[in-house]
Amino acid sequence: MKIITEATGLHRHIRDDGSREEKNVLENVIEFADIIQVGARNMKSYGFLQELAILTKGNAKPILLKRGESSTIKDFLLAAEYLVANGNPNVLLCLRGIRTFEEEKFQRYTADVGAIAVLKKESNLPGHFRPVARDWLPEQCVPCGMAAIAAGADGLIVETHNDPANALCDGEQCVTKDQLQKIKEDAEKIKALIH
């Protein structure tokens, strides 16, 4: 991964799930990743959050904290505060779809775009949004992402692959390089209009 990063200039984003099957797994992730992602299911793993914050406090490695699908905004902010209080102030908040009463055939998760404004009011941490095809129907991803930018999101978390249909994992939620470029251009236009 380090060689690829040096060759392309792209940042390494690694998700750590808090499991400790092998010794020093977290330490290796911290050493080689540019950003460490705490997935939505581990947002409330307070022992893991504490260990991660303590281990990254010396190098202040950014931690991308994803909101759990059924977590309140208060739960989300408290999890972020746990990381900050334990030594790492470089927390990036990542909103995604949340569980509501909608039928899965319409939308698996509901885009809580309104939460962005609340995060901006209640926290000084940067807030990002993750519009992915696994959470919504493909035709909903881009509009949800653009709505998030219009609501004040600092950025979008978008997975990309040169050939999503043949990706080894998560291909259904990846966009192509051309799609990513269009998303970036549209987001920049909206930011210029709104902010």
Side-chain angles (χ1 to χ4, degrees), residues 25-148:
V25 171
L26 183 56
E27 290 84 353
N28 286 331
V29 168
I30 291 167
E31 180 181 347
F32 293 107
D34 294 313
I35 298 173
I36 300 161
Q37 174 183 309
V38 175
R41 288 184 293 273
N42 287 301
M43 187 197 91
K44 291 185 179 182
S45 299
Y46 299 114
F48 171 63
L49 295 177
Q50 180 180 26
E51 180 183 8
L52 181 58
I54 290 168
L55 289 171
T56 57
K57 109 166 90 170
N59 62 20
K61 183 108 21 172
I63 299 171
L64 178 73
L65 179 66
K66 288 174 65 179
R67 180 182 181 186
E69 67 182 36
S70 299
S71 297
T72 65
I73 294 172
K74 182 178 180 181
D75 292 339
F76 187 42
L77 289 172
L78 288 173
E81 182 59 32
Y82 208 81
L83 289 164
V84 172
N86 280 286
N88 190 333
N90 296 319
V91 178
L92 308 169
L93 302 174
C94 181
L95 293 163
R96 56 184 292 268
I98 58 169
R99 216 51 209 136
T100 61
F101 298 104
E102 289 297 331
E103 294 181 40
E104 194 163 315
K105 71 178 183 176
F106 297 118
Q107 57 183 16
R108 183 172 169 210
Y109 295 104
T110 299
D112 189 9
V113 174
I116 295 165
V118 176
L119 292 180
K120 290 292 183 187
K121 179 181 175 223
E122 299 295 327
S123 174
N124 64 345
L125 299 172
H128 295 73
F129 192 78
R130 183 173 185 248
V132 295
R134 193 167 68 187
D135 290 348
W136 299 289
L137 299 172
E139 62 272 10
Q140 296 171 326
C141 292
V142 172
C144 288
M146 296 307 113

